[in-house]
Amino acid sequence: MAGRAAGVEGAEEWPQRSSAPSAPPAPSAPLLDVVGPNCERGDFLAPARQLPGAVPGAPLAGLTAAPDGFGLRKLLIGAIVTLWGLRLSIHIYRRNHGKPEDFRYQEFRRRYGPGYWWISFFQVFLLQGILMFIVGAPLLPAQISSTPNTITIFDVLGPIVWIVGFYFEAIGDAQLARFRADPNNKGKLLNTGLWAYPRHPNCFGDAAQWWGFYLIALGAGGWWTIFSPIIMTLLLIKVSGVGLLEKTLAKTKPGYQEYMQTTSAFVPWLPRR
């Protein structure tokens, strides 16, 4: 479970995403599904889900585990996945540390009582684990395909798209964190910096990074994994990011309706006057 926070101080502090998976497949991921339901906090999953991608040994395992694959491409995909997962994990941990457990997990505990652990195992942990393997599909051909055994145009375009996405997600998150840390901004709307171009620059950045992963996979023959960035984009727009937040913000936050009329929702664009 997760969701993207919007640029509004005082808005509900969703974890990171609600249905969108958070990390590529890794050997340690199933362990989270077993341990998670028995932890005191169900929302420990939010930062923990990033760790399989953040630990360098996980994305780089293909260098030794798979006999095939083009070495430079495997290093490339391993490096950017590691940066993506590490930054996201640290960001979510710092944002959630010292705060109460996400209210949705609290509601699960109240609703299901002693049966909470197995309900959460299937509805939260196992579901996200399955989604991780589905959405992480482009990382597999990028690591194990040995053809072409040279750098292609997609190996160049993929990292460029990924860097753009990383910039929007990391800087957008940092700008929002600074804005919320200032007590004078309580109840105000963040519509400066990157937040002046799309209303959800961090969501756009996350989606762009997955399109970058896909382009690298495309250069390795992984054209069939296009479902991955499409699913991630749709989840971020319709489920866990834009769609989830704006249902509430448009009705409850002063000035948000005008913000919607003048600012692109997802794709960065100049403000409308």
Side-chain angles (χ1 to χ4, degrees):
M1 296 176 100
R4 272 294 188 182
V8 180
E9 175 56 32
E12 191 65 55
E13 189 72 49
W14 302 97
Q16 188 69 16
R17 297 171 183 82
S18 87
S19 298
S22 307
S28 58
L31 180 61
L32 299 177
D33 298 329
V34 176
V35 175
N38 296 289
C39 289
E40 293 183 0
R41 289 180 59 123
D43 57 358
F44 102 100
L45 176 69
R49 276 295 186 201
Q50 326 310 320
L51 294 178
V55 177
L60 299 180
L63 289 174
T64 55
D68 298 322
F70 180 47
L72 287 179
R73 185 175 297 114
K74 290 195 284 187
L75 281 172
L76 174 63
I77 195 73
I80 62 177
V81 168
T82 297
L83 288 174
W84 168 79
L86 185 61
R87 187 213 71 87
L88 196 54
S89 181
I90 293 173
H91 167 71
I92 299 173
Y93 174 79
R94 293 177 61 183
R95 190 187 66 186
N96 292 353
H97 181 64
K99 296 181 180 179
E101 181 184 35
D102 174 57
F103 74 93
R104 290 168 296 177
Y105 291 99
Q106 295 181 33
E107 176 62 18
F108 273 177
R109 294 181 192 277
R110 185 197 63 80
R111 181 184 305 173
Y112 299 116
Y116 162 79
W117 71 270
W118 67 271
I119 293 291
S120 66
F121 174 79
F122 288 102
Q123 188 169 341
V124 180
F125 294 87
L126 187 59
L127 175 60
Q128 287 205 24
I130 293 171
L131 285 171
M132 282 169 58
F133 279 89
I134 294 174
V135 176
L139 308 181
L140 301 180
Q143 285 190 334
I144 67 176
S145 176
S146 58
T147 56
N149 60 350
T150 184
I151 294 295
T152 71
I153 185 63
F154 296 109
D155 294 315
V156 177
L157 291 177
I160 292 174
V161 172
W162 181 85
I163 289 172
V164 171
F166 187 83
Y167 174 81
F168 269 87
E169 184 177 41
I171 301 302
D173 282 340
Q175 290 176 346
L176 181 58
R178 286 196 299 268
F179 183 81
R180 284 180 161 167
D182 186 349
N184 295 323
N185 290 329
K186 187 172 180 61
K188 294 182 180 179
L189 190 67
L190 174 58
N191 57 4
T192 58
L194 293 182
W195 298 82
Y197 302 103
R199 299 195 297 274
H200 302 272
N202 43 11
C203 292
F204 166 78
D206 197 5
Q209 288 175 88
W210 281 95
W211 282 101
F213 294 147
Y214 170 71
L215 286 174
I216 298 174
L218 182 62
W223 57 267
W224 53 274
T225 63
I226 192 170
F227 59 83
S228 165
I230 291 176
I231 290 174
M232 278 297 298
T233 303
L234 290 176
L235 287 173
L236 287 165
I237 293 176
K238 300 295 185 180
V239 180
S240 67
V242 179
L244 181 67
L245 288 164
E246 297 207 334
K247 288 179 181 179
T248 301
L249 294 176
K251 300 177 182 178
T252 61
K253 292 300 173 183
Y256 203 83
Q257 286 280 6
E258 181 182 354
Y259 184 45
M260 294 175 65
Q261 295 171 3
T262 60
T263 308
S264 171
F266 190 74
V267 178
W269 198 255
L270 294 175
R272 298 182 290 272
R273 302 298 180 187

